[in-house]
């Protein structure tokens, strides 16, 4: 993961978050549209239920002419589960024997069926109706094909739109990450150009008061300290060169004088001792100056 460029690492969480949001939004819309259309169908069936109950309770067919023309279907069952009326040929009963039995017991059933002789799924509402001869079960239904077609189109639309939206969001996230990191890249290029020949150069400080600005200010403060150390080091070398020039000339003169003619052991020892003392004094002074510079 650490080898992945920071642009990509910043974009990936954004991409996953957008994918989750788009998936949640698509699911919410899909379920919402499906429920809304199903609710409309169920309301129409509930209204038809009242009319059908009145008709069946007096021995009439469940559907009148208006209901038949509105593409509503109906089937009537006896208590044993056998169909005793059908508004059209369905190819198979709209309810199973077990479902009829539950409705006879007083329950209302809402379900989907796909009759072989009809096109598409149908929403079915089954309910009991009391007759003088006994309880019968009435199943009325309306086509749910439009709902299924709408949901199918919606699903395919999401399958096309979500990848495109995700790609656009990913590109936008990448561009935003690149824009946010542009000051860092500018600082990197400026830092790469700083050398001993350009000690006064500093990193650009972004206008925004954020972490990148504080980083630039901290690095510039570090460059100030480094420049100050370099200047003191350069001054130290210049001073050392100046300080050593005269003592070395004196040492060279003393040694030349000691070697110019034969000397006694005492004279040679005194000359060497004087040279050693002078060397020790200069070494101590230079070490002290270097220690002061190192503490800066």
């Amino acid at each position: 993961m650490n080898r992945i460029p920071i642009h990509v690492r910043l974009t990936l969480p954004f991409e996953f978050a957008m994918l989750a949001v788009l998936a949640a939004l698509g699911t919410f819309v899909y379920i919402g549209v499906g429920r809304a259309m199903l609710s409309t169908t169920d309301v129409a069936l509930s209204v038809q239920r009242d009319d059908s109950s009145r008709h069946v309770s007096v021995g009439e067919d469940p559907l009148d002419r208006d209901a038949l023309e509105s593409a509503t279907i109906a089937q009537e069952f006896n208590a044993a589960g056998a169909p005793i009326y059908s508004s059209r040929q369905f190819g198979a009963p709209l309810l199973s024997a077990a479902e009829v039995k539950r409705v006879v017991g007083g329950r209302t059933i809402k379900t989907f069926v796909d009759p072989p002789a009809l096109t598409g799924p149908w929403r079915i509402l089954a309910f009991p109706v009391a007759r003088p001869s006994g309880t019968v079960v009435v199943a009325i239904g309306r086509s749910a094909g439009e709902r299924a077609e709408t949901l199918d189109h919606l699903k395919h639309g999401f399958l096309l739109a979500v990848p495109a939206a995700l790609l656009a969001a990913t590109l936008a996230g990448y561009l935003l990450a690149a824009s946010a990191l542009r000051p860092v890249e500018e600082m990197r290029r400026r830092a790469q150009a700083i050398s001993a020949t350009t000690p006064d150069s500093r990193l650009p400080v972004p206008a925004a008061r954020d972490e990148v600005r504080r980083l630039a200010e901290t690095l510039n403060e570090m460059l100030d300290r480094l420049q100050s150390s370099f200047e003191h080091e350069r001054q130290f070398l210049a001073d050392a060169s100046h300080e050593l020039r005269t003592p070395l000339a004196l040492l060279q003169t003393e040694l030349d004088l000691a070697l110019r003619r034969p000397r006694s052991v005492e004279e040679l020892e005194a000359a060497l001792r004087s040279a050693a003392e002078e060397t020790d004094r200069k070494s101590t002074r230079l070490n002290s100056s270097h220690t002061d510079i190192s503490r800066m």
Side-chain angles (χ1 to χ4, degrees):
M1 186 67 177
N2 291 333
R3 295 182 179 181
I4 300 177
I6 190 170
H7 293 74
V8 179
R9 278 188 284 165
L10 290 175
T11 305
L12 284 178
F14 179 76
E15 182 178 1
F16 290 140
M18 285 301 302
L19 178 61
V21 170
L22 291 174
L25 179 62
T27 302
F28 176 78
V29 172
Y30 184 87
I31 294 175
V33 171
R35 285 179 176 177
M37 298 186 70
L38 183 61
S39 177
T40 301
T41 302
D42 286 345
V43 168
L45 289 175
S46 297
V47 173
Q48 182 60 49
R49 170 184 176 172
D50 297 336
D51 292 339
S52 297
S53 296
R54 286 195 301 269
H55 294 315
V56 173
S57 63
V58 297
E60 297 177 356
D61 293 338
L63 302 179
D64 55 21
R65 180 174 298 179
D66 292 338
L68 289 172
E69 291 178 353
S70 65
T72 302
I73 61 174
Q75 194 169 41
E76 188 177 334
F77 299 84
N78 60 22
I84 57 177
Y85 166 83
S86 295
S87 63
R88 66 174 74 178
Q89 294 297 323
F90 304 127
L94 297 178
L95 299 177
S96 65
E99 290 173 329
V100 172
K101 185 177 180 180
R102 291 206 304 271
V103 176
V104 170
R107 296 186 60 182
T108 298
I109 292 179
K110 292 180 179 180
T111 186
F112 287 98
V113 298
D114 195 357
L118 301 179
T119 302
W122 288 72
R123 181 66 165 173
I124 302 298
L125 174 63
F127 51 91
V129 178
R131 275 181 173 175
S133 59
T135 300
V136 296
V137 174
V138 178
I140 57 176
R142 293 179 69 88
S143 175
E146 183 179 354
R147 173 180 179 271
E149 185 178 357
T150 299
L151 292 178
D152 188 62
H153 288 322
L154 193 61
K155 179 176 66 177
H156 285 87
F158 278 133
L159 291 178
L160 294 176
V162 168
L166 184 61
L167 179 61
T170 301
L171 180 60
Y174 185 86
L175 293 177
L176 286 175
S179 177
L181 293 174
R182 190 174 295 115
V184 178
E185 177 63 18
E186 180 63 25
M187 289 165 56
R188 184 199 65 80
R189 288 196 297 265
R190 187 71 65 83
Q192 190 177 28
I194 296 176
S195 64
T197 58
T198 57
D200 296 333
S201 298
R202 293 295 180 266
L203 304 181
V205 179
R209 296 187 177 276
D210 54 10
E211 291 80 359
V212 178
R213 179 186 177 95
R214 291 196 293 271
L215 174 62
E217 291 173 345
T218 301
L219 292 177
N220 283 336
E221 291 174 358
M222 180 189 70
L223 291 174
D224 290 338
R225 293 193 297 271
L226 290 175
Q227 182 183 6
S228 178
S229 297
F230 290 153
E231 290 176 353
H232 282 86
E233 190 74 20
R234 189 181 297 109
Q235 185 63 39
F236 165 75
L237 293 176
D239 293 343
S241 176
H242 177 74
E243 291 287 338
L244 288 176
R245 189 176 296 112
T246 300
L248 287 176
L250 293 176
L251 288 175
Q252 183 66 39
T253 300
E254 290 184 5
L255 293 175
D256 289 342
L257 289 175
L259 295 174
R260 182 169 297 177
R261 61 182 179 79
R263 301 282 183 175
S264 64
V265 175
E266 290 78 6
E267 290 176 333
L268 291 175
E269 182 178 356
L272 291 176
R273 193 181 304 278
S274 175
E277 290 176 355
E278 185 65 23
T279 302
D280 186 62
R281 282 196 304 272
K282 293 302 179 184
S283 177
T284 301
R285 184 172 180 181
L286 290 175
N287 288 335
S288 177
S289 300
H290 190 270
T291 300
D292 293 339
I293 293 176
S294 300
R295 291 174 179 175
M296 293 181 179

